Amino acid sequence: MDLDVAAKTTLLKTIPHGLFICGVAEADVVNGFTASWVTQGSFKPPLVVAGVRSDSTSHGMIQRTGCFSLNVMEVGQQELVAKFFRPQAAVGGRLAEVPYRLGPLGLPLLENCLGGLECQLVGHVAAGDHTVFVGEVKTAVLHREGEALTLSHTRWTYGG
Ligand SMILES: Cc1cc2nc3c(=O)[nH]c(=O)nc-3n(C[C@H](O)[C@H](O)[C@H](O)COP(=O)(O)O)c2cc1C
């Protein structure tokens, strides 16, 4: 059976995505990166699912520590989100410019966003160039209500 690659790409690009800063921490090293492949996976317990590039720095940190945070970004914060997918001089360099605190699980929670979740890993699927991590939401902080930034607010693409 031949895959129609063009159809596959067009159709996968129609999947709506939010834009998040995923935070990770290992010993005294913190890091954050732009994540869009994120969705809810269960009500009880509250699970979220995140696809993370296997060759990224954060991937290894999630694997080793078993946790990650998700910061929900607001419309208008595109510039800030862009900082988190650009290369950085050293791990954690992106967060050096952005106010954050460490949550109860020790994960970076940005001060200037709609809110953040800390998640503990309950499973993963490593079958491609991204690993699908499943995390249980353990802490949540709501800074303010607002319209969340999504991929459709930008000209960026990630998917297909
Ligand atoms: C719009 C956009 C969405 C992205 N979404 C994801 C994603 O869902 N998962 C992922 O692993 N990388 C995603 N990336 C790429 C990472 O942000 C990028 O590889 C980052 O440099 C990884 O950082 P790290 O190596 O410090 O962990 C996205 C990039 C862009 C431009």
Side-chain angles (χ1 to χ4, degrees):
M1 215 178 328
D2 280 344
L3 174 65
D4 181 336
V5 175
K8 176 271 301 176
T9 302
T10 301
L11 291 169
L12 288 182
K13 279 185 176 174
T14 67
I15 298 175
H17 290 291
L19 278 168
F20 306 85
I21 305 299
C22 180
V24 291
E26 185 175 23
D28 56 355
V29 178
V30 288
N31 196 35
F33 69 97
T34 302
S36 54
W37 290 2
V38 172
T39 191
Q40 183 163 356
S42 161
F43 284 121
K44 273 190 184 175
L47 301 180
V48 291
V49 177
V52 181
R53 283 174 70 124
S54 326
D55 63 358
S56 68
T57 304
S58 304
H59 182 277
M61 293 174 74
I62 295 171
Q63 266 186 334
R64 291 187 295 273
T65 61
C67 53
F68 59 90
S69 63
L70 288 171
N71 293 277
V72 180
M73 308 311 291
E74 189 172 18
V75 167
Q77 293 192 304
Q78 207 171 317
E79 294 256 310
L80 178 59
V81 172
K83 282 187 203 297
F84 282 83
F85 60 70
R86 295 201 187 110
Q88 53 188 350
V91 176
R94 299 173 186 129
L95 279 169
E97 299 172 18
V98 175
Y100 72 93
R101 65 179 179 79
L102 297 179
L105 294 190
L107 295 158
L109 296 172
L110 303 196
E111 306 278 2
N112 183 16
C113 67
L114 294 180
L117 306 165
E118 290 180 298
C119 307
Q120 250 167 13
L121 217 56
V122 295
H124 74 277
V125 178
D129 52 15
H130 285 58
T131 294
V132 177
F133 288 116
V134 181
E136 181 171 345
V137 178
K138 292 294 189 181
T139 80
V141 59
L142 180 67
H143 297 311
R144 58 179 185 264
E145 306 254 3
E147 188 183 353
L149 181 67
T150 68
L151 204 55
S152 61
H153 291 115
T154 75
R155 293 187 167 201
W156 304 330
T157 59
Y158 197 84

